[in-house]
Amino acid sequence: MKFEINDVMQILGTTPEVMKSQLYGLNKEWLMRNEGEGTWNPAEIICHMIHCEEVDWIPRINIVLSSDENKKFEPLNRTFGFEKIRLQTINQLLDEFKKLREINLKYLGSVRLTEDQLIKKGIHPEFGEVTLKQLLAAWVVHDLSHIAQISRVLAMQYYDEVGPWTKYLPILTQSSL
Amino acid sequence: MKFEINDVMQILGTTPEVMKSQLYGLNKEWLMRNEGEGTWNPAEIICHMIHCEEVDWIPRINIVLSSDENKKFEPLNRTFGFEKIRLQTINQLLDEFKKLREINLKYLGSVRLTEDQLIKKGIHPEFGEVTLKQLLAAWVVHDLSHIAQISRVLAMQYYDEVGPWTKYLPILTQSSL
């Protein structure tokens, strides 16, 4: 599939509504359970999405596009802001994520990226040089990955309930990484 | 997590909107690509959801609950109806699935299942005896599994685009089963 910025925008635009449809108004039983020690519950995943929207994707895009010679990305604290789930409802968190995404997509659209810009580079703290195109593709796949994770975390709560059907429901036997 | 029919209904009720948010109005580039030979594209997954809604979940529940002595479930043809994607738009398929699910959930709610009914059994063509509770849990996990699958199929189209990020995006390296 040829990489097109419009395709990127299309998927990034769907994510807040997908996550709202998955979680809006769900009861605590579904929202606060995870897949075991060190894993995230659905509410924590939304906190992570909010944090990425605030400090990760757009700031990194701006580092690549800027005329500044320092192209180093800040490392991301993946579990930053998880305490928000004690202060805000899931509906508030989902609305906050949606609002931030709308602002970020409006900004991304306004940049009108060119082919030349897509091959410009930044320095990832672990990977070293990465292109803007790779960063945008990773943003899309990161969204999709967390949608799948939310479904898996919910599914896992019925691991003991489905009996022999585990055989045809591989979502229950995948790694939680 | 204690099994409660209300929790089952809550997740089953979210699925049509989740899938609509994932796919409604997406362009063909996203909708018609799969994960390789023998795998399904997102539009085919919706055809499968429609077929299950028509011939699988509710008919099996009714077999368990009926006074008929024959408790055998019909085997499911998992790829039945895939040709629909040549005749209907994705939006039409998503609306059809949503309508069928609404009818089925209304019916399920009207049955007002008791604890005694939840341990009644049917005969699965491969597994043999299964309880109604297992069947309902499998319905929930089956939904969640296909939501995750849709996200994975979309993500996979950017496998070559994300560069070194594959390391932190395990959705790209899971099996497509």
Side-chain angles (χ1 to χ4, degrees), chain B residues 2-4 24 31 34 39 44 46 50 64 75 77 89 104 108 113 117 128 140 143-144 159-160 166 172:
Chain B
K2 192 174 174 305
F3 183 93
E4 299 277 0
Y24 215 77
L31 292 171
N34 62 20
T39 65
E44 288 169 336
I46 305 303
I50 289 170
V64 175
N77 177 352
T89 65
N104 285 343
L108 185 63
L113 291 169
Q117 284 173 316
V140 170
D143 272 20
L144 295 166
Y159 185 91
D160 292 331
T166 40
L172 295 175

Side-chain angles (χ1 to χ4, degrees), chain A residues 45-63:
Chain A
I45 294 168
I46 304 303
C47 294
H48 168 70
M49 297 301 291
I50 289 170
H51 186 56
C52 290
E53 221 56 24
E54 288 176 326
V55 306
D56 198 56
W57 305 109
I58 294 290
R60 288 181 173 192
I61 290 168
N62 283 336
I63 287 169

Side-chain angles (χ1 to χ4, degrees), chain A residues 90-152:
Chain A
I90 188 70
N91 293 0
Q92 288 172 325
L93 293 170
L94 287 161
D95 287 337
E96 186 180 347
F97 170 55
K98 184 176 167 144
K99 198 172 160 187
L100 289 167
R101 174 60 56 92
E102 280 169 358
I103 293 166
N104 285 342
L105 281 190
K106 201 169 168 186
Y107 173 72
L108 185 64
S110 75
V111 176
R112 300 193 169 274
L113 291 168
T114 63
E115 289 293 321
D116 284 349
Q117 284 174 316
L118 287 175
I119 54 174
K120 289 188 78 172
K121 288 171 182 162
I123 310 292
H124 185 279
E126 179 181 343
F127 306 142
E129 280 195 348
V130 289
T131 65
L132 180 53
K133 196 169 161 178
Q134 287 169 339
L135 177 61
L136 289 166
W139 191 1
V140 170
V141 176
H142 179 265
D143 271 20
L144 295 166
S145 162
H146 285 298
I147 292 166
Q149 181 189 15
I150 289 169
S151 287
R152 192 187 64 227

Side-chain angles (χ1 to χ4, degrees), chain A residues 7 21 27 126 167-168, chain B residues 7 10 21 27 126 167-168:
Chain A
D7 293 335
S21 305
N27 64 36
E126 179 181 343
K167 181 175 174 186
Y168 291 120
Chain B
D7 292 335
Q10 193 166 39
S21 305
N27 64 35
E126 179 181 343
K167 182 176 175 187
Y168 291 119

